[in-house]
Amino acid sequence: MDPRPILDRAIATGGSVIGRVRPDQLTAPTPCSEMDGRAMLGHLVAVLDRVAALGQGEDPFAVTETPAPDDGWSDAWTTSARRAADAWRDDAVLEQPMALPWIQGNGAEVLASYFSELTVHTWDLAIATGQQPDWDDTVVTAALAARDFLPAENRRAIFEEISTAMGLDEVAIPFAEPVPIPDDAPAIDRLVAWNGRDPSR
């Protein structure tokens, strides 16, 4: 499977949410307790910059989260999205071996692991800013299918190992333990619940 068209669709959904964020919502809390709206915007843009770094054979963890003007987040998103698309334009990148602390595989497999992060953090931002976007079923289904890189339990221990291996002073835990949810719940609810969010909030 070529993950690039699905990534493009995830980026489009993210862009639609980012474009509706008002400056007065930048300090709103998000379901990711460590980030307000502004921090989440910066993180989302940085995720695309990390995707671009991977495609270019660079260190994605060297990417820093750079603030944008309060009215400049949509432009920052568009610029980073273009950079990511350019980095992965060559089909050969999809076959190259790649490794992150939580997944190893070829480029296509590693790129697919970002479906979930982009979608869940887009959901975080949407909740923080009172939005109800039209979730792309293809993207959410693909994110659910690619979720195995995140263990079902003992996530803190996993992230402690990753943080230690990366030489971090603090343990970064971006995704909490899964939240129980019915099997017949909407796909977006099942995705965010798997990533430690309570979709009923």
Side-chain angles (χ1 to χ4, degrees), residues 70-156:
D70 288 355
D71 60 352
W73 287 107
S74 286
D75 289 341
W77 182 254
T78 300
T79 298
S80 291
R82 187 180 305 115
R83 189 181 300 124
D86 288 344
W88 288 83
R89 196 171 305 283
D90 187 345
D91 292 346
V93 180
L94 298 176
E95 301 299 328
Q96 292 177 1
M98 295 185 182
L100 295 173
W102 51 86
I103 184 174
Q104 296 182 8
N106 61 27
E109 292 166 332
V110 172
L111 186 59
S113 73
Y114 279 94
F115 299 159
S116 181
E117 184 172 8
L118 281 171
T119 303
V120 171
H121 286 321
T122 297
W123 180 88
D124 287 334
L125 186 62
I127 293 296
T129 56
Q131 299 186 52
Q132 295 182 328
D134 292 328
W135 297 105
D136 189 314
D137 290 339
T138 298
V139 173
V140 177
T141 298
L144 282 167
R147 65 184 176 177
D148 289 344
F149 73 90
L150 194 61
E153 56 187 13
N154 298 323
R155 291 179 180 175
R156 181 175 183 85

Side-chain angles (χ1 to χ4, degrees), residues 127-197:
I127 293 296
T129 56
Q131 299 186 52
Q132 295 182 328
D134 292 328
W135 297 105
D136 189 314
D137 290 339
T138 298
V139 173
V140 177
T141 298
L144 282 167
R147 65 184 176 177
D148 289 344
F149 73 90
L150 194 61
E153 56 187 13
N154 298 323
R155 291 179 180 175
R156 181 175 183 85
I158 296 295
F159 289 124
E160 284 178 346
E161 291 179 9
I162 291 173
S163 297
T164 299
M166 294 177 62
L168 301 178
D169 294 331
E170 298 182 2
V171 178
I173 306 179
F175 304 110
E177 298 297 312
V179 173
I181 191 170
D183 292 340
D184 60 352
I188 186 63
D189 289 356
R190 287 185 280 122
L191 177 64
V192 300
W194 172 255
N195 285 273
R197 273 55 164 175

